[in-house]
Amino acid sequence: MLRPRDRKDLAVTEQRQPSTSPVPAPGGTARLAGRAVARVGYGVMQLERAGVSRDTALALLRQAVAAGVNHLDTAQFYGPCNELIRAALAPYAEGLVLVTKVGAERDASGALVPAQRPEQLRAQVEANLTALGTERVDVVNLRRVDGRPGIVATGDQVVDLDDQLAELTALRAAGKVGAVGLSGVTAAQLGQALPAGIACVQNLYSVLDRDAEPVLGACREHGVAWVPFFPLGGAFPGRPKAGDSPVIKAAAADLGITPGQVALAWLLGRYEQTLLIPGTASPAHLAENLAAGDVTLPPAVTAALDNLTATEDHQ
Ligand SMILES: NC(=O)c1ccc[n+]([C@@H]2O[C@H](COP(=O)([O-])OP(=O)(O)OC[C@H]3O[C@@H](n4cnc5c(N)ncnc54)[C@H](OP(=O)(O)O)[C@@H]3O)[C@@H](O)[C@H]2O)c1
């Protein structure tokens, strides 16, 4: 379990420790790195958005944990997010699973750039440990940047996967990393990495974007946890959003729930080892997303969504 680095941290944060009284896990639980986590977690990336105040961010993190979330997804390159997690939640409750990712960093101008070389991965793990105020981070996802979406590796940033896994498994053996996951990978890369022990895969995937379906299939085959990012379509313009889809909106209206809840419930139904990390900077949206864990879609709605493609839905 995560431990604060020193007593000084405890003194600073003791007053802020959220209640650890048991509340039902949103969406029930699944296994991640040998731990039971709520199937609806919280991705903290939206907290780096301009206009989200520190007080709002701290309150959102505490709201999530108080509501039963014990899986937070972060990254050092999400600006202030790690420090916010530490300020809101350290000393960390037993059972809280912190997941970070490595493979990119901010350059001097603030732009996100690949940082794929093994020594860069190690430096990023250390930076995460320092910012989170812990001696071990539960899961570290290796974010590959072989192709879009997002930044793409060129030159000396094109690094052999086995060399990266050797570095991360050495960090795991040293106790700094609890488990290793992958992000932005193909099914073949997952197969290549499996002998190293892979806790989860985090790829772009949603009801409106199924390109990663073969990777989900490989996760099912090997019992690896599946953590789709952009589960609602993300915040970036130009990507299909659950809330803009006429088919999803109609299903939501019929069921008396929101389009986002339909999209999240569909993902949960896809595979029992799916773990959600929807991102939001809104307390109301956070509550809504966690409540999606209680939704079971009727088979006819699931079938209609199974057959939906973003292209058809927006014609
Ligand atoms: N591995 C990777 O490469 C990678 C890449 C990107 C993200 N991630 C992880 O995945 C997590 C989720 O991704 P994301 O936050 O970018 O995308 P997302 O969860 O699909 O969508 C977030 C967007 O949806 C809005 N939203 C959230 N809940 C809503 C609701 N109930 N109703 C209406 N709108 C809602 C948010 O705005 P509001 O703030 O207004 O609610 C925000 O604009 C991130 O936090 C991050 O941890 C990983």
Side-chain angles (χ1 to χ4, degrees), residues 241-311:
K241 310 268 187 268
D244 296 335
S245 153
V247 174
I248 296 174
K249 281 199 288 193
D254 279 352
L255 297 170
I257 58 177
T258 67
Q261 289 175 323
V262 171
L264 295 177
W266 180 85
L267 283 168
L268 286 174
R270 221 52 200 134
Y271 170 43
E272 67 277 8
Q273 302 250 53
T274 297
L275 300 171
L276 299 182
I277 50 165
T280 181
S282 149
H285 286 170
L286 177 58
E288 193 180 300
N289 296 343
L290 299 183
D294 296 330
V295 174
T296 303
L297 297 176
V301 172
T302 300
L305 295 176
D306 286 350
N307 293 325
L308 180 68
T309 69
T311 317

Side-chain angles (χ1 to χ4, degrees), residues 15 31 37 42 57 62 68 132 136 154-155 165 173 183 189 192 200 210 219 227 235 237 255 276-277 283 291 297:
Q15 300 290 317
R31 307 293 292 176
V37 295
Y42 181 38
R62 291 175 185 145
L132 288 166
R136 189 179 85 137
T154 56
L165 291 170
S183 179
Q189 287 172 321
Q192 182 183 342
C200 55
R210 316 264 182 95
C219 285
V227 189
L255 297 170
L276 299 182
I277 50 165
L297 297 176

Side-chain angles (χ1 to χ4, degrees), residues 43 45-46 49 73 143 183 202 232 234 279-281 285 288-289:
M45 190 178 82
Q46 298 303 326
R49 249 169 36 200
D73 186 79
R143 175 61 156 99
S183 179
Q202 187 175 120
L232 297 165
T280 181
H285 286 170
E288 193 180 300
N289 296 343

Side-chain angles (χ1 to χ4, degrees), residues 3 15 22 25 29 38 64 112 120 125 161 168 211 227 239 253 289 310:
R3 283 183 192 86
Q15 300 290 317
T29 59
L112 194 64
Q120 292 177 303
V125 169
L161 176 60
L168 292 177
D211 287 356
V227 189
R239 291 197 171 280
N289 296 343

Side-chain angles (χ1 to χ4, degrees), residues 210-224:
R210 316 264 182 95
D211 287 356
E213 197 71 46
V215 192
L216 167 56
C219 285
R220 277 200 200 98
E221 185 184 341
H222 298 287
V224 174

Side-chain angles (χ1 to χ4, degrees), residues 119-189:
E119 71 277 13
Q120 292 177 303
L121 301 180
R122 177 174 287 266
Q124 290 164 61
V125 169
E126 293 290 353
N128 275 279
L129 293 175
T130 301
L132 288 166
T134 183
E135 289 170 354
R136 189 179 85 137
V137 67
D138 296 295
V139 182
V140 172
N141 285 326
L142 167 63
R143 175 61 156 99
R144 289 285 298 190
V145 288
D146 303 304
R148 296 195 176 282
I151 53 175
V152 178
T154 56
D156 71 350
Q157 286 297 326
V158 179
V159 180
D160 188 82
L161 176 60
D162 289 336
D163 293 343
Q164 296 176 312
L165 291 170
E167 192 71 32
L168 292 177
T169 53
L171 286 161
R172 189 178 60 194
K176 296 189 174 202
V177 168
V180 174
L182 297 172
S183 179
V185 291
T186 62
Q189 287 172 321

